[in-house]
Amino acid sequence: LALDSSGNPRISYYDNDNDSLKYASYDGSSWNIETVDSDGDVGQYTSLALDSSDNPRISYYDATEDDLKYASYNGSSWNIETVDSDGNVGKYTSLALDSSGNPRISYYDADNDSLKYASYDGSSWNIETVDSSGDVGQYTSLALDSSGNPRISYYDDTNDDLKYASWNGSSWSIEEVDDDAE
């Protein structure tokens, strides 16, 4: 869920009956529903952000290909791209846009039981593993600080802990927040 500049709700979601990614927007009097992606079983673990022009950006999981995907609307059409296809990646996505409108995504790598982070620099995606100590990275939540540095909360399934990762501009710092997060 995101609110546009007029306070109207926008929702990205998975249509279980049709295995597709959908997007709903309210204009103040009625809902507009559209299918964004229906190429296979797509749209689970969706996360939505709006750019400065209220255009939607959506990160989500492609269960057919086991990939992380990203959809962006330019005002007239959707652009869909695969961000990461290295194994079974893309569950538990969380999306944020930096001050330039570039997407940042935290997500889970199920093959390696790790937390991953993808950032777009305006021309290409940069992908890195943030934490791989045990089975970590489910239920991610991403926020960017005032300098655009990522902050990620996530679940450590190995130790039943809530963890927090922060980027300081040169390295990741990882800490345990709650060791009784089961």
Side-chain angles (χ1 to χ4, degrees):
L1 171 69
L3 301 178
D4 67 18
S5 56
S6 298
N8 293 317
R10 310 283 186 94
I11 305 169
S12 63
Y13 62 101
Y14 176 64
D15 179 343
N16 190 55
D17 289 339
N18 297 302
D19 297 331
S20 60
L21 173 66
K22 286 192 156 180
Y23 174 72
S25 58
Y26 188 73
D27 63 12
S29 61
S30 63
W31 286 97
N32 177 42
I33 312 263
E34 60 185 295
T35 299
V36 176
D37 189 353
S38 60
D39 186 18
D41 185 359
V42 294
Q44 296 177 52
Y45 304 102
T46 177
S47 183
L48 170 68
L50 302 178
D51 69 10
S52 60
S53 299
D54 285 337
N55 289 318
R57 309 288 189 243
I58 306 170
S59 62
Y60 59 101
Y61 177 63
D62 178 339
T64 300
E65 301 295 328
D66 295 330
D67 293 342
L68 171 65
K69 292 182 86 175
Y70 175 74
S72 58
Y73 189 73
N74 64 13
S76 60
S77 63
W78 287 96
N79 178 51
I80 297 170
E81 59 187 298
T82 299
V83 175
D84 190 350
S85 59
D86 187 15
N88 185 353
V89 294
K91 294 178 180 175
Y92 305 103
T93 73
S94 183
L95 170 68
L97 302 179
D98 67 16
S99 60
S100 298
N102 292 319
R104 313 287 184 91
I105 307 168
S106 62
Y107 58 101
Y108 179 62
D109 177 341
D111 280 347
N112 297 300
D113 299 328
S114 59
L115 172 66
K116 291 183 87 174
Y117 176 72
S119 59
Y120 189 74
D121 63 13
S123 61
S124 63
W125 287 97
N126 302 301
I127 297 170
E128 61 185 296
T129 299
V130 175
D131 189 354
S132 60
S133 58
D135 186 356
V136 295
Q138 296 176 55
Y139 310 104
T140 71
S141 184
L142 170 67
L144 303 178
D145 69 13
S146 60
S147 299
N149 292 318
R151 309 289 192 241
I152 306 169
S153 65
Y154 58 100
Y155 180 61
D156 177 342
D157 191 40
T158 300
N159 299 301
D160 294 324
D161 293 342
L162 171 64
K163 292 180 86 175
Y164 174 74
S166 58
W167 177 257
N168 65 13
S170 60
S171 64
W172 288 99
S173 173
I174 296 171
E175 60 187 283
E176 178 185 294
V177 175
D178 186 350
D179 65 359
D180 193 23
E182 192 172 346

